[in-house]
Amino acid sequence: MMNYPLTLAQILEHAHRIHGDKQVTTLLPDGTLHRYNYIALYERVKRLANAITQFGIQRGDRVATYASNTYQHLELYYAIPCIGAVLHPLNVRLSPLQLAQIVGEAEDKLIFVDSGFTAQFKAFQHKIACQQVIYFDPTAADADVPYERLLSEATPVASWDIRDENWAMGLCYTSGTQGEPRGVLYTHRSMFLHTLAANQADVFGLTEADVVLPLVPMFHAMAWGLPYATMFAGADMVLPGAKPPCIANLIAETGVTVAAGVPTVWAKAYPELRKRRKDIGGLRRLIVGGEAMPLPLIEAYEKELGVEICHAWGMTEMSPTGTFSKLRGAHRSLSDAEKWRIKAKQGRPIPGVELRLAAETSNGFTELPWDGKTIGELQVRSPWTANNYYKVKPTPEHFTTDKWLRTGDMATIDADGYMQIVDRAKALIRSGGESISSIALETVLLKHPYVHEAAVVGIPDEKWGERPFAVVVLTEQTTENISDILRQQLASEFPKFWIPDKFVFVDEIPKTSVGKSDKRALLAQLASQNLLDKSSTVCKNQIVEPAHKK
Ligand code: AMP
């Protein structure tokens, strides 16, 4: 057989030749839509590729982006890797200090800055090592060569020259909620294979007829591979810019059929989408991941809006897709409630990914059974899973000696291969020697109509080691004895020792830079309000009344 290199240039060339008329639509900050087709994108990518090399960028050099989801960012998603350089999308929500460390470690040689982020970037530019900057905004004071002029003055590159599919194509840092951000370097081969796997019918299942909206930021785990999967499938793409004012309007106006984002985004968008139910009839599927999708939200989308929810699990380290939750043929005869319960699991490994549940012993790991009950550490391997962190030697904390990635997630796997995340290993609450799953408690709390958001955290306890503590954002409706009601709701599903000792009601749960509940920040916030002091944590069944009800 031909030794045919698997590179992103193949994806770009295929989209250009076979799907040239398909559209990329971007929501601009002024609310208008910018549209062009894959032929126009291709021609700009070829000129951009040559323009980048004028800055002395060579094979393997890191080129960063500080940008939202726009057509320019999409152009960079192809131009940078297709000249053999490494695309490094920076998380615009990180602190200047974190960004300075990341840019320093990555040794970025050039940074592209989105129009919406010019001022934000300039505020910390002096702290970062890279001083070659190209602004999308032509009015940025020091935009010597703004993006558009750079493109218009460049000649198109004659051909792509990626000689080895194992060349690096991208670098993403983990979001840093579990410690310091760590870099993950993807290769052309790993991203190409991830694209093929993601596009299987039982995975993202994108078709040429789809209109795909990646709401997941392009700096979060390569936008879950969607910029590549969408163009390889030949689907249209809608890019929402930095912060679409109304997701429902965007979906209605552009005819989106498949959209992807974290649960928080879908919880927020639900009322808007419900109002515009008649105008979003084309929306057939949501790909939801990054955090557990609460069962009531799955139910609401499927029952009220007729939109299929596909729950996905993955990690920056996995390019990022690992599992995908679709029902099996054998599930057809189940009731809706039973189907939603399965969909709330994180799903089965996508083809190419291997999972195992492990328990650590004195001489390594033993494998645990797939019985849907036994909780173990989730370990993975695949052609698109990292085997080390960027510039860091693999350590036993992250990689096993037989070369599996230790995900840091605790999970169960049932006999059909459906994996369910129980908690992050470090977040699993250990009380009196037993494990309590914060995710399971949150899921049941969220079933109550008065609960808008819920986060359960473990707090140190002298007697039990740790005890659960529930933090709840209530909907507008509520009653005086809401804590007792919630306690009863949990008691109907969990043993007594699982019931949180304390319920605190807040107006908002802090979010991480990628929109997940930030339990570290939440704990710090509660501590600063003296809500975690020792006396209040020792099994006293304390109740703090809702802040907005006082
Ligand atoms: P990141 O690399 O920022 O995408 O974070 C990866 C981590 O997010 C995983 O190890 C999980 O802890 C969590 N995660 C991702 N997807 C899900 C999901 N569908 N349900 C629960 N946790 C998830």
Side-chain angles (χ1 to χ4, degrees), residues 324-337:
F324 205 76
S325 202
K326 293 253 315 214
L327 296 176
R328 296 181 56 207
H331 293 144
R332 254 184 238 128
S333 58
L334 295 181
S335 69
D336 282 349

Side-chain angles (χ1 to χ4, degrees), residues 12 114-115 121 196 211 256 258 279-280 335 340 359 380 484 502 504 529 532:
L12 180 66
D114 202 334
S115 301
F121 178 79
L196 291 184
V211 180
V256 168
V258 177
D279 313 314
I280 56 149
S335 69
W340 293 322
V380 293
D484 290 336
K502 182 165 167 175
V504 167
Q529 293 165 4
L532 291 183

